[in-house]
Amino acid sequence: MFIGEPPRAPEDGVPIPWVPDTDAPGLSDLELVADIWAADAREARHAAQRAEAIAALARRRSIERDRDFGPLGGPGLDSRLRRSEVLAQVSETFVSELALIRGCSEVEAETLAIESILLTTLLTGTWDALYAGRIDVRKMRALVDLLSTAKPEVIAEVERRVLPHAGRLTVPQLRARVRRALARLDADALDKRRKEAAKRADVTTRPTGEGMSQLVADLPLHVAAACADAIDQYAQLLRADGDARPIGVIRAAVAADLILRPWDQTRPAVTAQLTIHAPLPSLHDPDGDGGTQPAAEVAGEIVTAAQCRESLAELDLLGIRAAPPGGCVQVAIGNPIDGRLI
């Protein structure tokens, strides 16, 4: 069921945009709810069909295919430690090929490849529920995530217990129910998941927009809890000393200081590379009102000229004077028309 009907294109083939009917005066509330359910069911079936196609393509790209190209250099240590066992019999080039097919990152392509193979081999009950629309994509991914390291017989038993009720559970409720079942049926699977997750631990940044970014560290549960509590205690001390900033802002500042330790002169200097692309007009604001200077880039993210100047001022680089201890400052001038290096 659709809200309204899309207009037909004219005879010359020029498409006419279809504007959604957001009011839908001819449909009852029940019909609108039915449309929402139908859209969810179609999305679930499409995801199941995509998984089936990806798994079939992966089988055609077996590891044997790599031998046709002669000896390869092989993955590095980090890649070997991170490569999933699910992809052990799949060509090393398949993830890159899938990323090219879907126009996505290789990380997303690898996750989708693993998910598709698991759904069509070990979690066939989950795939069937997804295809039938009894669960949505979010719940499917929760099941794949939690059951990927379990024994086949355990997976079948957990699916038998959980899937009949999964449709009325929220994702957190579903995850909690699966973890309880796993702890009873196969505690080793949970331990294996924990060990595999520990191998993938890393520290990354995640841009959140508006000139902000998150620093994400993967840590064991008790270590993460201890770190969060220590940061909060330091923040509460600053609050007690009169810091009137929001407590979350204080915690973020405390975390940065604990990592960078600007007061500690006993350790060797550690420098980081920060790439800033700024048109020269962005570095000067003669009127002091922000003006209409072109945007700049800081660490690959678009920022306003004002934020770029703030970052450079904080680093004491607006005058391009001395480099930080142990570091250097490089200035490159590009052509504003074609971007080529001058």
Side-chain angles (χ1 to χ4, degrees):
M1 182 183 298
F2 294 94
I3 300 175
E5 291 295 334
R8 295 182 179 275
E11 296 299 328
D12 59 5
V14 178
I16 298 176
W18 178 29
V19 179
D21 184 1
T22 54
D23 293 331
L27 297 179
S28 66
D29 289 358
L30 181 59
E31 288 173 318
L32 293 175
V33 171
D35 275 352
I36 295 173
W37 287 340
D40 287 341
R42 287 194 299 272
E43 180 186 22
R45 174 163 294 192
H46 291 160
Q49 292 171 329
R50 180 180 60 191
E52 188 177 24
I54 290 174
L57 187 61
R59 285 191 291 272
R60 296 186 182 185
R61 304 294 190 263
S62 68
I63 196 69
E64 302 293 331
R65 182 172 176 263
D66 289 345
R67 297 174 184 172
D68 297 337
F69 297 95
L72 302 176
L77 175 61
D78 289 340
S79 298
R80 291 198 302 273
L81 289 175
R82 291 174 179 272
R83 183 171 173 83
S84 170
E85 295 179 0
V86 178
L87 300 176
Q89 300 304 314
V90 179
S91 168
E92 294 177 11
T93 63
F94 175 67
V95 169
S96 299
E97 181 183 4
L98 183 60
L100 183 63
I101 291 170
R102 299 200 65 247
C104 63
S105 68
E106 291 197 6
V107 173
E108 182 182 346
E110 181 178 6
T111 301
L112 191 57
I114 294 171
E115 172 188 293
S116 301
I117 294 172
L118 288 172
L119 277 174
T120 55
T121 54
L122 295 177
L123 282 81
T124 53
T126 300
W127 183 91
D128 181 70
L130 182 69
Y131 185 84
R134 295 193 299 272
I135 61 173
D136 59 24
V137 175
R138 296 172 302 116
K139 294 176 182 177
M140 173 272 289
R141 287 181 173 151
L143 288 164
V144 170
D145 177 43
L146 290 170
L147 297 176
S148 59
T149 56
K151 301 181 181 69
E153 60 272 18
V154 173
I155 292 175
E157 178 61 22
V158 173
E159 287 182 328
R160 186 189 68 80
R161 295 186 182 189
V162 171
L163 284 176
H165 313 286
R168 59 180 176 81
L169 299 175
T170 65
V171 173
Q173 289 172 338
L174 178 62
R175 293 183 70 92
R177 186 166 295 195
V178 171
R179 289 186 67 86
R180 287 195 192 96
L182 279 176
R184 179 171 298 181
L185 297 171
D186 191 4
D188 290 341
L190 290 180
D191 288 333
K192 185 176 181 180
R193 279 175 47 81
R194 175 177 55 81
K195 293 176 182 177
E196 289 296 323
K199 291 180 182 179
R200 298 191 299 270
D202 200 355
V203 177
T204 58
T205 57
R206 183 184 303 161
T208 57
E210 310 303 334
M212 301 293 288
S213 183
Q214 290 180 339
L215 177 67
V216 182
D218 301 311
L219 298 170
L221 187 63
H222 66 284
V223 176
C227 290
D229 186 62
I231 289 171
D232 181 67
Q233 290 187 51
Y234 284 120
Q236 296 296 343
L237 289 174
L238 291 174
R239 169 61 62 82
D241 286 342
D243 194 326
R245 293 176 296 173
I247 191 64
V249 174
I250 303 176
R251 292 191 190 108
V254 166
D257 282 347
L258 289 175
I259 294 173
L260 298 176
R261 304 179 69 84
W263 62 84
D264 189 352
Q265 304 297 323
T266 63
R267 302 183 304 168
V270 177
T271 59
Q273 178 175 319
L274 178 64
T275 302
I276 298 176
H277 290 159
L280 290 177
S282 299
L283 303 182
H284 181 55
D285 183 17
D287 299 326
D289 59 358
T292 57
Q293 291 89 3
E297 287 186 19
V298 175
E301 291 296 310
I302 302 296
V303 300
T304 64
Q307 183 178 351
C308 178
R309 290 194 299 272
E310 290 174 9
S311 300
L312 290 171
E314 185 172 346
L315 296 170
D316 195 23
L317 292 179
L318 273 178
I320 311 297
R321 291 181 286 273
C328 65
V329 176
Q330 296 177 331
V331 179
I333 306 298
N335 188 321
I337 304 300
D338 57 17
R340 291 190 302 172
L341 183 66
I342 298 177

